């Protein structure tokens, strides 16, 4: 009968630690797979959370963009309205409503030009006061346009182009 060979390395005497391993500690565990990755079945460290944008932040940004768009659109639209008119400018009437004629400044060479501004007077005028003011400013006026917007009220004295 034969006896099985002894376990481990038959040429070592006692228990020696591998080279570089401090005395009294177990040898390094074997790593599976590539270096730097934990062995299979080991728990993964939690992933770092990126900064998430909340719904409230997105909503606030959208509201700011809408308000800015309306403000910029209003400013662009008002650049050619009656408030921007000056003496010598030509105007186009965009509405047949006498209470809101929707006057806009146009190039005098444009086919849409209907009126010419003879005078522009800052202040709040109504009815007969506007007529008499235009008579004093320009003798050959035909139409009076007044706009009242608090401190930005004015009077335009117009004639057909």
């Amino acid at each position: 009968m034969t006896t099985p060979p002894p376990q481990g390395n038959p040429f070592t005497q006692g228990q020696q630690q591998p080279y570089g391993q401090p005395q009294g500690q177990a040898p390094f565990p074997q790593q599976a797979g590539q270096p730097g990755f934990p062995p299979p079945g080991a728990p993964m460290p939690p992933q770092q959370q990126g900064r998430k944008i909340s719904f409230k932040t997105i909503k606030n940004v959208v509201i700011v963009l809408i308000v800015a768009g309306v403000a910029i659109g209003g400013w662009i639209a008002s650049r050619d309205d009656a408030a921007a008119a000056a003496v010598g400018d030509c105007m186009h009437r965009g509405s047949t409503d006498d209470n809101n004629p929707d006057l806009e400044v146009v190039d005098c060479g444009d086919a849409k030009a209907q009126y010419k501004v003879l005078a522009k007077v800052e202040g709040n005028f109504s009815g007969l006061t506007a007529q008499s003011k235009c008579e004093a400013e320009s003798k050959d006026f035909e139409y009076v346009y007044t706009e009242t917007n608090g401190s930005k009220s004015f009077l335009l004295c117009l004639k057909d182009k």
Side-chain angles (χ1 to χ4, degrees):
M1 236 198 263
T2 61
T3 59
Q7 297 290 352
N9 188 348
F11 301 108
T12 60
Q13 294 182 0
Q15 191 72 9
Q16 285 188 342
Q17 298 295 325
Y19 178 75
Q21 183 75 24
Q23 294 289 333
Q25 291 185 356
F28 292 112
Q30 287 188 342
Q31 297 287 324
Q34 298 178 3
F37 290 97
M44 296 291 291
Q47 297 252 345
Q48 289 185 351
Q49 294 291 328
R51 184 173 182 191
K52 292 187 177 182
I53 299 175
S54 70
F55 176 75
K56 185 177 180 181
T57 303
I58 293 170
K59 179 188 73 161
N60 289 341
V61 168
V62 168
I63 289 172
V64 167
L65 290 175
I66 290 172
V67 169
V70 168
I72 291 170
W75 177 76
I76 289 172
S78 70
R79 289 188 314 167
D80 63 349
D81 67 0
V87 175
D89 283 347
C90 290
M91 308 290 291
H92 169 73
R93 182 177 180 155
S95 170
T96 57
D97 182 8
D98 287 338
N99 294 323
N100 186 15
D102 190 26
L103 292 176
E104 66 176 330
V105 177
V106 294
D107 184 61
C108 289
D110 191 342
K112 294 189 328 181
Q114 297 170 296
Y115 311 105
K116 186 163 188 158
V117 178
L118 302 176
K120 182 174 183 178
V121 183
E122 300 295 325
N124 193 356
F125 301 95
S126 64
L128 294 174
T129 325
Q131 289 283 342
S132 62
K133 191 65 176 174
C134 275
E135 284 175 1
E137 294 291 322
S138 172
K139 301 287 183 216
D140 58 344
F141 82 96
E142 297 175 36
Y143 309 103
V144 173
Y145 173 79
T146 60
E147 190 169 302
T148 306
N149 290 331
S151 64
K152 300 224 182 220
S153 299
F154 61 92
L155 162 72
L156 293 179
C157 304
L158 307 169
K159 76 171 188 172
D160 285 327
K161 182 179 170 274

Short mmCIF file of all heavy atoms in Angstrom, two decimals, residues 95-142:
data_model
loop_
_atom_site.label_atom_id
_atom_site.label_comp_id
_atom_site.label_asym_id
_atom_site.label_seq_id
_atom_site.Cartn_x
_atom_site.Cartn_y
_atom_site.Cartn_z
N SER A 95 -55.21 99.83 -39.10
CA SER A 95 -56.56 99.48 -38.68
C SER A 95 -57.53 100.56 -39.13
O SER A 95 -57.19 101.73 -39.23
CB SER A 95 -56.61 99.35 -37.15
OG SER A 95 -57.94 99.24 -36.70
N THR A 96 -58.77 100.15 -39.39
CA THR A 96 -59.80 101.13 -39.77
C THR A 96 -60.51 101.70 -38.56
O THR A 96 -61.33 102.60 -38.70
CB THR A 96 -60.84 100.48 -40.71
OG1 THR A 96 -61.42 99.36 -40.05
CG2 THR A 96 -60.19 100.04 -42.01
N ASP A 97 -60.21 101.22 -37.37
CA ASP A 97 -60.82 101.69 -36.13
C ASP A 97 -60.24 103.06 -35.78
O ASP A 97 -59.03 103.20 -35.56
CB ASP A 97 -60.55 100.68 -35.01
CG ASP A 97 -61.18 101.06 -33.69
OD1 ASP A 97 -61.95 102.05 -33.65
OD2 ASP A 97 -60.89 100.38 -32.68
N ASP A 98 -61.09 104.09 -35.71
CA ASP A 98 -60.62 105.44 -35.41
C ASP A 98 -60.08 105.55 -33.98
O ASP A 98 -59.26 106.42 -33.69
CB ASP A 98 -61.74 106.46 -35.62
CG ASP A 98 -62.01 106.70 -37.10
OD1 ASP A 98 -61.11 106.44 -37.92
OD2 ASP A 98 -63.13 107.16 -37.43
N ASN A 99 -60.55 104.71 -33.07
CA ASN A 99 -60.08 104.75 -31.69
C ASN A 99 -58.73 104.07 -31.51
O ASN A 99 -58.04 104.31 -30.53
CB ASN A 99 -61.11 104.11 -30.74
CG ASN A 99 -62.39 104.91 -30.69
OD1 ASN A 99 -62.36 106.14 -30.71
ND2 ASN A 99 -63.52 104.23 -30.63
N ASN A 100 -58.37 103.20 -32.43
CA ASN A 100 -57.08 102.52 -32.39
C ASN A 100 -56.59 102.31 -33.82
O ASN A 100 -56.69 101.21 -34.36
CB ASN A 100 -57.21 101.18 -31.65
CG ASN A 100 -55.87 100.51 -31.46
OD1 ASN A 100 -54.82 101.13 -31.62
ND2 ASN A 100 -55.90 99.23 -31.13
N PRO A 101 -56.04 103.35 -34.45
CA PRO A 101 -55.65 103.25 -35.86
C PRO A 101 -54.41 102.41 -36.12
O PRO A 101 -54.12 102.08 -37.26
CB PRO A 101 -55.41 104.70 -36.27
CG PRO A 101 -55.05 105.39 -35.01
CD PRO A 101 -55.81 104.69 -33.92
N ASP A 102 -53.67 102.02 -35.09
CA ASP A 102 -52.48 101.18 -35.22
C ASP A 102 -51.49 101.78 -36.21
O ASP A 102 -51.11 101.17 -37.19
CB ASP A 102 -52.87 99.76 -35.62
CG ASP A 102 -51.71 98.79 -35.53
OD1 ASP A 102 -50.79 99.04 -34.73
OD2 ASP A 102 -51.71 97.78 -36.26
N LEU A 103 -51.03 103.01 -35.91
CA LEU A 103 -50.06 103.68 -36.77
C LEU A 103 -48.68 103.09 -36.60
O LEU A 103 -48.26 102.77 -35.48
CB LEU A 103 -50.02 105.18 -36.44
CG LEU A 103 -51.26 105.99 -36.78
CD1 LEU A 103 -51.08 107.42 -36.30
CD2 LEU A 103 -51.56 105.96 -38.27
N GLU A 104 -47.98 102.94 -37.71
CA GLU A 104 -46.60 102.47 -37.66
C GLU A 104 -45.74 103.29 -38.61
O GLU A 104 -46.21 103.75 -39.64
CB GLU A 104 -46.50 100.98 -37.99
CG GLU A 104 -46.87 100.64 -39.40
CD GLU A 104 -46.67 99.17 -39.74
OE1 GLU A 104 -45.77 98.54 -39.16
OE2 GLU A 104 -47.39 98.67 -40.60
N VAL A 105 -44.50 103.47 -38.23
CA VAL A 105 -43.55 104.21 -39.05
C VAL A 105 -43.12 103.33 -40.22
O VAL A 105 -42.78 102.16 -40.04
CB VAL A 105 -42.32 104.63 -38.22
CG1 VAL A 105 -41.30 105.34 -39.10
CG2 VAL A 105 -42.73 105.50 -37.05
N VAL A 106 -43.18 103.90 -41.44
CA VAL A 106 -42.72 103.19 -42.64
C VAL A 106 -41.82 104.14 -43.44
O VAL A 106 -41.83 105.35 -43.23
CB VAL A 106 -43.91 102.70 -43.52
CG1 VAL A 106 -44.71 101.63 -42.80
CG2 VAL A 106 -44.79 103.85 -43.95
N ASP A 107 -41.09 103.59 -44.36
CA ASP A 107 -40.26 104.39 -45.24
C ASP A 107 -41.16 105.23 -46.14
O ASP A 107 -42.18 104.74 -46.65
CB ASP A 107 -39.36 103.47 -46.07
CG ASP A 107 -38.39 104.24 -46.93
OD1 ASP A 107 -37.56 104.98 -46.37
OD2 ASP A 107 -38.47 104.10 -48.17
N CYS A 108 -40.81 106.48 -46.35
CA CYS A 108 -41.66 107.36 -47.17
C CYS A 108 -41.72 106.91 -48.62
O CYS A 108 -42.68 107.25 -49.34
CB CYS A 108 -41.16 108.80 -47.08
SG CYS A 108 -41.48 109.55 -45.46
N GLY A 109 -40.77 106.12 -49.10
CA GLY A 109 -40.81 105.60 -50.45
C GLY A 109 -41.66 104.34 -50.57
O GLY A 109 -41.92 103.85 -51.67
N ASP A 110 -42.10 103.81 -49.46
CA ASP A 110 -42.90 102.58 -49.42
C ASP A 110 -44.32 102.88 -49.90
O ASP A 110 -44.89 103.93 -49.61
CB ASP A 110 -42.93 102.04 -48.00
CG ASP A 110 -43.51 100.64 -47.90
OD1 ASP A 110 -44.20 100.18 -48.83
OD2 ASP A 110 -43.27 99.98 -46.86
N ALA A 111 -44.92 101.95 -50.64
CA ALA A 111 -46.28 102.12 -51.14
C ALA A 111 -47.30 102.17 -49.99
O ALA A 111 -48.40 102.70 -50.15
CB ALA A 111 -46.63 100.99 -52.09
N LYS A 112 -46.92 101.65 -48.81
CA LYS A 112 -47.84 101.65 -47.67
C LYS A 112 -47.91 103.02 -46.98
O LYS A 112 -48.80 103.24 -46.16
CB LYS A 112 -47.41 100.59 -46.64
CG LYS A 112 -47.53 99.17 -47.13
CD LYS A 112 -47.32 98.10 -46.09
CE LYS A 112 -46.38 98.38 -44.99
NZ LYS A 112 -46.20 97.29 -44.04
N ALA A 113 -46.98 103.91 -47.26
CA ALA A 113 -46.95 105.22 -46.59
C ALA A 113 -48.21 106.00 -46.94
O ALA A 113 -48.52 106.23 -48.10
CB ALA A 113 -45.71 105.99 -47.00
N GLN A 114 -48.95 106.44 -45.90
CA GLN A 114 -50.21 107.17 -46.10
C GLN A 114 -50.15 108.59 -45.56
O GLN A 114 -50.82 109.47 -46.08
CB GLN A 114 -51.36 106.43 -45.40
CG GLN A 114 -51.63 105.05 -45.96
CD GLN A 114 -52.60 104.27 -45.08
OE1 GLN A 114 -52.29 103.97 -43.93
NE2 GLN A 114 -53.76 103.95 -45.64
N TYR A 115 -49.41 108.80 -44.46
CA TYR A 115 -49.38 110.10 -43.80
C TYR A 115 -47.96 110.53 -43.56
O TYR A 115 -47.05 109.72 -43.48
CB TYR A 115 -50.09 110.04 -42.44
CG TYR A 115 -51.45 109.40 -42.49
CD1 TYR A 115 -51.66 108.12 -42.00
CD2 TYR A 115 -52.54 110.08 -43.02
CE1 TYR A 115 -52.91 107.52 -42.04
CE2 TYR A 115 -53.80 109.50 -43.07
CZ TYR A 115 -53.97 108.22 -42.58
OH TYR A 115 -55.21 107.63 -42.64
N LYS A 116 -47.80 111.85 -43.42
CA LYS A 116 -46.50 112.41 -43.07
C LYS A 116 -46.65 113.16 -41.75
O LYS A 116 -47.64 113.86 -41.54
CB LYS A 116 -46.00 113.36 -44.16
CG LYS A 116 -44.62 113.85 -43.92
CD LYS A 116 -44.01 114.44 -45.17
CE LYS A 116 -42.56 114.70 -44.87
NZ LYS A 116 -41.78 114.77 -46.06
N VAL A 117 -45.67 112.99 -40.86
CA VAL A 117 -45.70 113.65 -39.56
C VAL A 117 -45.18 115.07 -39.73
O VAL A 117 -44.04 115.28 -40.13
CB VAL A 117 -44.84 112.89 -38.52
CG1 VAL A 117 -44.84 113.61 -37.18
CG2 VAL A 117 -45.33 111.46 -38.36
N LEU A 118 -46.04 116.07 -39.41
CA LEU A 118 -45.65 117.47 -39.51
C LEU A 118 -45.13 118.01 -38.18
O LEU A 118 -44.28 118.90 -38.17
CB LEU A 118 -46.84 118.32 -39.97
CG LEU A 118 -47.44 117.92 -41.33
CD1 LEU A 118 -48.66 118.78 -41.63
CD2 LEU A 118 -46.40 118.05 -42.43
N ALA A 119 -45.68 117.46 -37.08
CA ALA A 119 -45.25 117.91 -35.75
C ALA A 119 -45.50 116.80 -34.74
O ALA A 119 -46.45 116.03 -34.89
CB ALA A 119 -45.99 119.18 -35.35
N LYS A 120 -44.64 116.78 -33.73
CA LYS A 120 -44.83 115.85 -32.60
C LYS A 120 -44.63 116.68 -31.33
O LYS A 120 -43.60 117.31 -31.15
CB LYS A 120 -43.82 114.70 -32.64
CG LYS A 120 -44.02 113.71 -31.51
CD LYS A 120 -43.10 112.50 -31.64
CE LYS A 120 -43.38 111.51 -30.53
NZ LYS A 120 -42.55 110.31 -30.66
N VAL A 121 -45.66 116.66 -30.50
CA VAL A 121 -45.63 117.47 -29.29
C VAL A 121 -45.83 116.55 -28.08
O VAL A 121 -46.80 115.78 -28.03
CB VAL A 121 -46.74 118.55 -29.32
CG1 VAL A 121 -46.65 119.43 -28.08
CG2 VAL A 121 -46.66 119.37 -30.60
N GLU A 122 -44.89 116.61 -27.13
CA GLU A 122 -44.99 115.81 -25.92
C GLU A 122 -46.03 116.43 -25.00
O GLU A 122 -46.14 117.64 -24.90
CB GLU A 122 -43.64 115.75 -25.20
CG GLU A 122 -42.51 115.15 -26.02
CD GLU A 122 -42.70 113.69 -26.36
OE1 GLU A 122 -43.26 112.94 -25.53
OE2 GLU A 122 -42.29 113.30 -27.46
N GLY A 123 -46.82 115.59 -24.34
CA GLY A 123 -47.82 116.07 -23.39
C GLY A 123 -49.14 115.37 -23.61
O GLY A 123 -49.33 114.61 -24.56
N ASN A 124 -50.09 115.66 -22.73
CA ASN A 124 -51.41 115.03 -22.77
C ASN A 124 -52.41 116.02 -23.37
O ASN A 124 -52.65 117.07 -22.80
CB ASN A 124 -51.81 114.63 -21.34
CG ASN A 124 -53.00 113.71 -21.32
OD1 ASN A 124 -53.58 113.41 -22.35
ND2 ASN A 124 -53.36 113.27 -20.13
N PHE A 125 -52.97 115.65 -24.51
CA PHE A 125 -53.90 116.53 -25.22
C PHE A 125 -55.19 115.77 -25.51
O PHE A 125 -55.19 114.56 -25.67
CB PHE A 125 -53.30 117.02 -26.54
CG PHE A 125 -52.02 117.77 -26.37
CD1 PHE A 125 -50.80 117.13 -26.48
CD2 PHE A 125 -52.04 119.12 -26.08
CE1 PHE A 125 -49.62 117.83 -26.32
CE2 PHE A 125 -50.87 119.83 -25.92
CZ PHE A 125 -49.64 119.18 -26.04
N SER A 126 -56.28 116.53 -25.63
CA SER A 126 -57.55 115.91 -26.00
C SER A 126 -58.36 116.88 -26.86
O SER A 126 -58.25 118.10 -26.70
CB SER A 126 -58.34 115.52 -24.74
OG SER A 126 -58.67 116.67 -24.01
N GLY A 127 -59.14 116.31 -27.75
CA GLY A 127 -60.09 117.06 -28.58
C GLY A 127 -59.62 118.40 -29.10
O GLY A 127 -58.71 118.49 -29.90
N LEU A 128 -60.27 119.47 -28.62
CA LEU A 128 -59.99 120.83 -29.10
C LEU A 128 -58.59 121.30 -28.75
O LEU A 128 -57.97 122.05 -29.52
CB LEU A 128 -61.02 121.82 -28.53
CG LEU A 128 -62.46 121.60 -29.03
CD1 LEU A 128 -63.41 122.53 -28.29
CD2 LEU A 128 -62.54 121.83 -30.52
N THR A 129 -58.08 120.86 -27.64
CA THR A 129 -56.71 121.24 -27.26
C THR A 129 -55.72 120.70 -28.29
O THR A 129 -54.77 121.41 -28.66
CB THR A 129 -56.35 120.66 -25.88
OG1 THR A 129 -57.49 120.64 -25.04
CG2 THR A 129 -55.28 121.47 -25.21
N ALA A 130 -55.92 119.47 -28.74
CA ALA A 130 -55.03 118.86 -29.73
C ALA A 130 -55.14 119.61 -31.06
O ALA A 130 -54.12 119.88 -31.70
CB ALA A 130 -55.37 117.38 -29.91
N GLN A 131 -56.35 119.96 -31.46
CA GLN A 131 -56.55 120.70 -32.72
C GLN A 131 -55.82 122.04 -32.67
O GLN A 131 -55.11 122.40 -33.60
CB GLN A 131 -58.05 120.94 -32.96
CG GLN A 131 -58.84 119.72 -33.31
CD GLN A 131 -58.63 119.29 -34.76
OE1 GLN A 131 -58.17 120.05 -35.60
NE2 GLN A 131 -58.96 118.04 -35.04
N SER A 132 -56.02 122.76 -31.58
CA SER A 132 -55.40 124.09 -31.50
C SER A 132 -53.87 123.98 -31.41
O SER A 132 -53.15 124.84 -31.93
CB SER A 132 -55.97 124.89 -30.32
OG SER A 132 -55.69 124.24 -29.11
N LYS A 133 -53.37 122.97 -30.74
CA LYS A 133 -51.92 122.78 -30.65
C LYS A 133 -51.33 122.48 -32.03
O LYS A 133 -50.27 123.01 -32.39
CB LYS A 133 -51.59 121.65 -29.66
CG LYS A 133 -50.15 121.55 -29.31
CD LYS A 133 -49.67 122.78 -28.56
CE LYS A 133 -48.25 122.64 -28.12
NZ LYS A 133 -47.72 123.86 -27.51
N CYS A 134 -52.02 121.63 -32.83
CA CYS A 134 -51.52 121.32 -34.18
C CYS A 134 -51.60 122.55 -35.08
O CYS A 134 -50.74 122.75 -35.94
CB CYS A 134 -52.31 120.15 -34.79
SG CYS A 134 -51.67 118.53 -34.29
N GLU A 135 -52.64 123.39 -34.91
CA GLU A 135 -52.73 124.63 -35.70
C GLU A 135 -51.55 125.55 -35.40
O GLU A 135 -51.02 126.20 -36.29
CB GLU A 135 -54.05 125.36 -35.40
CG GLU A 135 -55.24 124.71 -36.05
CD GLU A 135 -56.57 125.35 -35.64
OE1 GLU A 135 -56.57 126.34 -34.85
OE2 GLU A 135 -57.60 124.85 -36.09
N ALA A 136 -51.15 125.57 -34.13
CA ALA A 136 -50.02 126.41 -33.75
C ALA A 136 -48.70 125.83 -34.27
O ALA A 136 -47.78 126.59 -34.61
CB ALA A 136 -49.97 126.55 -32.23
N GLU A 137 -48.57 124.52 -34.32
CA GLU A 137 -47.32 123.86 -34.73
C GLU A 137 -47.18 123.73 -36.25
O GLU A 137 -46.08 123.80 -36.77
CB GLU A 137 -47.23 122.47 -34.10
CG GLU A 137 -47.11 122.45 -32.59
CD GLU A 137 -45.77 122.99 -32.12
OE1 GLU A 137 -44.74 122.73 -32.76
OE2 GLU A 137 -45.76 123.68 -31.08
N SER A 138 -48.31 123.47 -36.94
CA SER A 138 -48.24 123.21 -38.38
C SER A 138 -49.57 123.62 -39.02
O SER A 138 -50.60 123.04 -38.74
CB SER A 138 -47.98 121.73 -38.61
OG SER A 138 -48.10 121.42 -39.96
N LYS A 139 -49.52 124.62 -39.89
CA LYS A 139 -50.75 125.17 -40.47
C LYS A 139 -51.46 124.21 -41.42
O LYS A 139 -52.67 124.23 -41.53
CB LYS A 139 -50.44 126.48 -41.22
CG LYS A 139 -49.83 127.53 -40.35
CD LYS A 139 -50.86 128.10 -39.42
CE LYS A 139 -50.25 129.21 -38.59
NZ LYS A 139 -50.72 129.30 -37.27
N ASP A 140 -50.73 123.36 -42.12
CA ASP A 140 -51.38 122.52 -43.14
C ASP A 140 -51.63 121.08 -42.67
O ASP A 140 -51.74 120.18 -43.50
CB ASP A 140 -50.59 122.55 -44.44
CG ASP A 140 -49.16 122.09 -44.28
OD1 ASP A 140 -48.67 122.03 -43.14
OD2 ASP A 140 -48.53 121.76 -45.31
N PHE A 141 -51.79 120.85 -41.35
CA PHE A 141 -52.09 119.51 -40.87
C PHE A 141 -53.52 119.13 -41.28
O PHE A 141 -54.36 119.99 -41.50
CB PHE A 141 -51.91 119.43 -39.35
CG PHE A 141 -53.08 119.94 -38.57
CD1 PHE A 141 -54.04 119.07 -38.09
CD2 PHE A 141 -53.24 121.30 -38.34
CE1 PHE A 141 -55.13 119.52 -37.38
CE2 PHE A 141 -54.32 121.77 -37.63
CZ PHE A 141 -55.27 120.89 -37.15
N GLU A 142 -53.78 117.83 -41.37
CA GLU A 142 -55.12 117.34 -41.70
C GLU A 142 -55.69 116.44 -40.60
O GLU A 142 -56.90 116.39 -40.43
CB GLU A 142 -55.09 116.56 -43.02
CG GLU A 142 -54.68 117.42 -44.21
CD GLU A 142 -54.53 116.59 -45.48
OE1 GLU A 142 -55.31 115.64 -45.69
OE2 GLU A 142 -53.61 116.91 -46.26
#
